[in-house]
Amino acid sequence: MPLCIPCSFASTGEHDTAPPPSRTLHLSASTTSSSSSSNVPTTARAASVFDDAASLLTLPSLQSLVPIASYPDTTPSPASYLCLSSLKPLRPSSSAAALAVSVASSLLYSASESEITVLDLVTVRPVESFAAVPSAGSVKSVALSPDGKLFTAHQDGRIRVWRRSTRSGRHRLEATLPTAGDRLRRFPLPGNYVAVRRHKKLLWIEHADAVSAVATSGSLLYSVSWDKTLKVWRAGGDLRCQESVQAHENAVNAVAVAGDGTVYTGSADGRIRVWALSPPEEGRGRGHGQPKHGPVATLERHRSAVNALSLSDDGAVLYSGACDRSILVWEREESADHMVVAGALRGHRKAILCLACVGDVLFSGSSDRTVRIWRKEGEGKGYSCLGVMEGHVTGVRSLVAVRVSDPAEPESESEEYRVCSASLDGEVKIWRVRIPTTQRSDSK
């Protein structure tokens, strides 16, 4: 859904070179993923995915979907971009913030270990800052539900639920998942406990390690963790955990949910697993009285840890990014009823850490400190790299993007986007990106 924002910047065909305005906020942030074996300490796992040594070679066996003549080998860049604001943390040791954007209210949420900051994407100004839960450790991921709840995934294995007051406009902590009520109703029964390590058991509704990613779809919240599980929660009402699935053989780093309820999980084991609802008697997860998620397919083409997943608006294309420096493009195969790999997008020099898809435009962030802009050019024409945004001094760990529509220019010759990127040093940049629409029509 396009984000309606009045456009107040002149369009250019070249790179915008004006110095970006700078604003310093207290954005104490943190890393959001892991990629190593479960017997390695959590702190080591969190760092290993960003190590240069983890950036393995790309996949030569897969065809490239980007023509050799595509930018940046040719100049000038088809896309124009300008950094509108750079939000720097007060503590130099901070790591990447987790980002989420509300299309309906034009708000950007930047969550860190100590603080959650809300910014207006129209004015690029802070709206509110409120304390996170420092004792919970770093915030790994952020998601928003249709009814306005904010979910933050934390290092301590819990999920915090925040709600914005309609009267004051300020956020407050509403609940911590799993809730006390959910725990109380389950703890008396021995069958509700699972072994998480030697001599230690937890309720199956609890994550045993950091919650690495969360996503919402309709009335459900999905969470994945370094404990190798996928859990499904009710996003409204009693906020109970409905299901827990042993999803992978290693830490789960990413989750994406299609409109039809199909769930994709990406793991440090190099695999992407596809999950769909099945009747209760066929499900393999926990929970009673409702359909369960069962495995549909396992996608195995990456050579290393999968760090990021993103779906096209219609759910027909899945993008996955990994430490092998490749973005793989998976397309729905109706005859097989699952995704098959179509090829790879190459250009990043190090591990792919985050992805954001808006329409037929894909943005990718990497530990090579850049954000690349890709676009699908039409049936059978592959993809083009339209630009490489530079400016971060460390790897780009979190990324969100929305399309901007200007009611005064319905026949505009360019498409405008707000792209927000967070790097490992805690800096958050807000970019204005313009992509000419004429280039697409010329290429068809």
Coordinates of all heavy atoms in Angstrom, one line a residue, residues 58 64 66 71-72 325-327 344-350 352 366 368 370 372 374 385 388:
T58 N 30.2 -16.5 -3.6 CA 28.8 -16.6 -4.1 C 28.6 -17.9 -4.8 O 29.5 -18.8 -4.9 CB 28.6 -15.5 -5.1 OG1 29.6 -15.5 -6.1 CG2 28.6 -14.1 -4.5
S64 N 23.1 -15.6 -12.9 CA 22.8 -14.2 -12.4 C 21.6 -13.6 -13.2 O 21.5 -13.8 -14.4 CB 24.1 -13.4 -12.6 OG 23.8 -12.0 -12.3
V66 N 21.1 -10.4 -13.1 CA 21.4 -9.1 -13.4 C 22.4 -9.0 -14.6 O 23.5 -9.7 -14.6 CB 22.1 -8.4 -12.2 CG1 22.4 -6.9 -12.5 CG2 21.2 -8.5 -11.0
Y71 N 24.1 -1.3 -13.9 CA 24.8 -0.4 -12.9 C 25.3 -1.3 -11.7 O 24.6 -2.2 -11.4 CB 23.9 0.7 -12.4 CG 24.5 1.6 -11.5 CD1 25.3 2.7 -11.9 CD2 24.4 1.4 -10.1 CE1 25.9 3.5 -11.0 CE2 25.0 2.3 -9.2 CZ 25.7 3.3 -9.7 OH 26.3 4.2 -8.8
P72 N 26.4 -1.0 -11.1 CA 27.2 0.2 -11.2 C 28.4 0.1 -12.3 O 29.3 0.9 -12.3 CB 27.8 0.3 -9.8 CG 28.0 -1.1 -9.4 CD 26.8 -1.9 -10.0
R325 N 27.0 -13.9 0.1 CA 27.0 -12.7 -0.6 C 25.9 -12.6 -1.7 O 25.9 -11.7 -2.5 CB 28.4 -12.4 -1.3 CG 29.6 -12.5 -0.3 CD 30.8 -12.3 -1.1 NE 32.0 -12.7 -0.3 CZ 33.2 -12.6 -0.8 NH1 33.5 -12.2 -2.0 NH2 34.2 -13.0 -0.1
S326 N 25.1 -13.6 -1.8 CA 24.1 -13.7 -2.9 C 22.7 -13.4 -2.3 O 22.4 -13.8 -1.2 CB 24.1 -15.1 -3.5 OG 25.3 -15.3 -4.2
I327 N 21.9 -12.8 -3.1 CA 20.4 -12.7 -2.9 C 19.8 -13.7 -3.9 O 19.9 -13.5 -5.1 CB 19.9 -11.3 -3.1 CG1 20.6 -10.3 -2.3 CG2 18.4 -11.3 -2.9 CD1 20.4 -8.8 -2.6
A344 N 20.2 -15.6 -9.1 CA 20.8 -14.9 -8.0 C 21.1 -13.4 -8.4 O 21.3 -13.1 -9.6 CB 22.2 -15.5 -7.6
L345 N 21.0 -12.6 -7.4 CA 21.4 -11.2 -7.6 C 22.7 -11.0 -6.9 O 22.8 -11.2 -5.7 CB 20.3 -10.2 -7.0 CG 18.9 -10.4 -7.4 CD1 18.0 -9.4 -6.7 CD2 18.8 -10.2 -8.9
R346 N 23.7 -10.6 -7.7 CA 25.1 -10.5 -7.1 C 25.6 -9.1 -7.3 O 25.2 -8.4 -8.2 CB 26.0 -11.5 -7.8 CG 25.6 -12.9 -7.7 CD 26.7 -13.8 -8.2 NE 26.4 -15.2 -8.1 CZ 25.8 -16.0 -9.0 NH1 25.6 -15.5 -10.2 NH2 25.5 -17.3 -8.8
G347 N 26.5 -8.7 -6.4 CA 27.0 -7.3 -6.4 C 27.6 -6.9 -5.1 O 28.6 -6.3 -5.0
H348 N 26.9 -7.4 -4.0 CA 27.5 -7.1 -2.7 C 28.8 -7.8 -2.5 O 28.9 -9.0 -2.9 CB 26.5 -7.5 -1.6 CG 25.4 -6.5 -1.4 ND1 25.6 -5.2 -0.9 CD2 24.0 -6.6 -1.6 CE1 24.4 -4.6 -0.8 NE2 23.5 -5.4 -1.3
R349 N 29.7 -7.2 -1.8 CA 31.0 -7.8 -1.6 C 31.1 -8.6 -0.3 O 32.1 -9.4 -0.1 CB 32.1 -6.7 -1.5 CG 32.2 -5.9 -2.8 CD 33.3 -4.9 -2.8 NE 33.2 -3.9 -1.7 CZ 32.4 -2.9 -1.7 NH1 31.7 -2.6 -2.8 NH2 32.3 -2.0 -0.7
K350 N 30.1 -8.5 0.6 CA 30.1 -9.3 1.8 C 28.7 -9.8 2.1 O 27.8 -9.7 1.3 CB 30.7 -8.4 3.0 CG 32.1 -8.0 2.8 CD 32.6 -7.2 4.0 CE 34.1 -6.8 3.9 NZ 34.6 -6.0 5.0
I352 N 25.0 -10.6 3.1 CA 23.7 -9.9 3.0 C 23.1 -10.0 4.4 O 22.9 -11.1 4.9 CB 22.7 -10.5 1.9 CG1 23.5 -10.8 0.6 CG2 21.5 -9.7 1.8 CD1 24.0 -9.5 0.0
S366 N 24.0 -4.8 3.5 CA 25.1 -5.8 3.6 C 26.2 -5.3 4.6 O 26.3 -4.2 4.9 CB 25.7 -6.0 2.2 OG 27.0 -6.7 2.3
D368 N 29.0 -5.1 3.7 CA 30.0 -4.2 3.0 C 29.6 -2.7 3.1 O 30.2 -1.9 2.4 CB 30.0 -4.6 1.5 CG 28.7 -4.4 0.8 OD1 27.8 -3.7 1.3 OD2 28.5 -4.8 -0.4
T370 N 26.9 -1.0 2.4 CA 26.1 -0.3 1.4 C 24.7 -0.9 1.3 O 24.4 -2.0 1.9 CB 26.7 -0.6 0.0 OG1 26.6 -1.9 -0.4 CG2 28.1 -0.1 -0.1
R372 N 21.9 -1.6 -1.7 CA 21.7 -1.6 -3.1 C 20.2 -1.6 -3.5 O 19.4 -2.1 -2.7 CB 22.3 -2.9 -3.7 CG 23.9 -2.8 -3.8 CD 24.5 -4.0 -4.5 NE 26.0 -3.7 -4.6 CZ 26.6 -3.6 -5.8 NH1 25.9 -3.6 -6.9 NH2 27.9 -3.3 -5.8
W374 N 17.5 -2.7 -6.4 CA 17.3 -3.7 -7.5 C 15.9 -3.5 -8.0 O 14.9 -3.2 -7.2 CB 17.5 -5.1 -7.0 CG 18.7 -5.4 -6.2 CD1 18.9 -5.2 -4.9 CD2 20.0 -5.9 -6.7 NE1 20.1 -5.6 -4.5 CE2 20.8 -6.0 -5.6 CE3 20.5 -6.2 -7.9 CZ2 22.1 -6.5 -5.7 CZ3 21.8 -6.7 -8.0 CH2 22.6 -6.8 -6.9
C385 N 20.4 -3.5 -11.2 CA 20.9 -2.8 -10.0 C 20.8 -1.3 -10.4 O 21.6 -0.8 -11.2 CB 22.3 -3.2 -9.6 SG 22.9 -2.4 -8.1
V388 N 23.7 2.2 -5.7 CA 24.4 1.7 -4.5 C 24.5 2.9 -3.6 O 25.2 3.9 -3.9 CB 25.8 1.1 -4.8 CG1 26.4 0.6 -3.5 CG2 25.7 0.0 -5.8

